Every structure is written in structure tokens, then in C-alpha cells.
Amino acid sequence: MPAHDRTNEERQTRLQERKALRRIERSRLGVACGCIAIATAPLTIFLTRHSIAAIQKTYGVHTRPGGLGGDLSPLLLTYLIGAGLALGGIGLLAPRSWGWWLTAAAAALGPFDLFRIYRSLFATINFDHPDVDRVLRNLGVFTGIPMMFYGAVLALLFVRSVRQTYRIGS
């Protein structure tokens, strides 16, 4: 066997070994985290839009959450977080380590976005209004459900076995 063929065969063997080392095995916890992240994306966007509409309908005020300025939508960050969760969830299902990072970044930014939006919504509430109890209860639900999903995603992402599966350092 010529030396060139043997060298080529050794290279192919080393390449296959490196690919096997980089391969990430799918885990049940990773799949669950990916599914929750994908479900969280549209749910958060829907609840945020619905809560803003409820405040506007009840009080007749138009709130504008502190955005990035200019003509950008005040929900642009919410949409970006939703897209990050959806793409990251797909990456977790794939399984790819970039999916872990993208999902973690989006789930960590989610509570800050909720605070940014709901801070201005809670500031517009008139506590003398006859329906204030219903509005506060609804806003609590609209805030609490996404926070629970963000927390669930982050908790699952930071389980030791999930971090080890996606090769995230401790």
C-alpha cells in the first residue's frame, strides 16, 4: 500500500474521530427545554400585546414602553427575544451548543423586557377606577405566565446534565 494512501486513510480516521468528539447526543431534558423555549416565544408575544391592549381599552391611555427610540416598535425587543427563543429551541432540538447559548441569552433577557414594558403599564393604572382589581389581576397573569416559562427554561438549561450534554463549562 503506497504511503500516500496510508496517510490519506489516517487523516480520514482522525477526521472521523474529531467529528465523533464534537457530536452532541440528544437528551430528554434538552428536548424538553427546546420544546418549552419554542412554546414560550409566541406565548410571551401574545400575552404582552394582549396586556397592552387591555390597558388601552380599560383606561383609554396609550402606553409606550421605553423602547430603543425613534420609530422602532416598542415591542421590538419582545419580538427579538421571541425569535431568539424559537431559534434557540430549534438548536436545542437539533442538538447544537449554539442553541443552548441563544436560548439562555433570550430567556435571561425576557424578564428585563417584561420589567421594561410592565413598569410603564403599572404606572398608568388609575387605582380609583372601578375595574382596577380585574386589571391588576389580568396584568399579574400576563406578567406571571411568561416569567414562569422564562424561569423554567433557565432552570432546565442550567441543570448540570444539560450543560454537560451541550458542552457548556461550569
Side-chain angles (χ1 to χ4, degrees), residues 45-46 49 73-85 113:
I45 292 170
F46 171 75
R49 291 178 60 97
S73 168
L75 296 176
L76 178 63
L77 184 58
T78 305
Y79 296 140
L80 290 175
I81 289 170
L85 282 171
D113 183 47

Side-chain angles (χ1 to χ4, degrees), residues 133-151:
D133 293 340
R134 183 180 54 82
V135 171
L136 286 175
R137 186 175 47 253
N138 287 344
L139 284 179
V141 168
F142 294 145
T143 308
I145 291 174
M147 287 295 281
M148 287 184 345
F149 276 96
Y150 288 138

